[in-house]
């Protein structure tokens, strides 16, 4: 799954756990390259009607 870094994106409910784990793993590497550099998810709302 590709996610934009500078824009919001819809993540299917069943994929949220996987995406969170991938981001946790990526943060381990990012912090080794640039101290205190982290990425994360931010819930902006819930998509209704789908």
């Amino acid at each position: 799954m590709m996610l934009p870094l500078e824009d919001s994106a819809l993540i299917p409910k069943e994929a949220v756990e996987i995406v969170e784990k991938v981001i946790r793993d990526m943060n381990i590497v990012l912090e080794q390259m640039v101290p205190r550099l982290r990425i994360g998810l931010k819930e902006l709302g819930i998509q209704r009607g789908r």
Side-chain angles (χ1 to χ4, degrees), residues 8-44:
S8 60
L10 292 174
I11 300 174
K13 196 182 250 187
E14 54 276 355
V16 171
E17 262 186 61
I18 295 168
V19 171
E20 287 174 335
K21 183 188 181 325
V22 169
I23 288 174
R24 278 194 306 271
D25 293 345
M26 287 175 62
N27 280 332
I28 293 169
V29 175
L30 289 172
E31 288 182 329
Q32 294 300 312
M33 296 186 321
V34 180
R36 295 187 304 270
L37 176 62
R38 296 183 59 82
I39 61 172
L41 292 179
K42 180 175 183 181
E43 186 176 317
L44 300 175

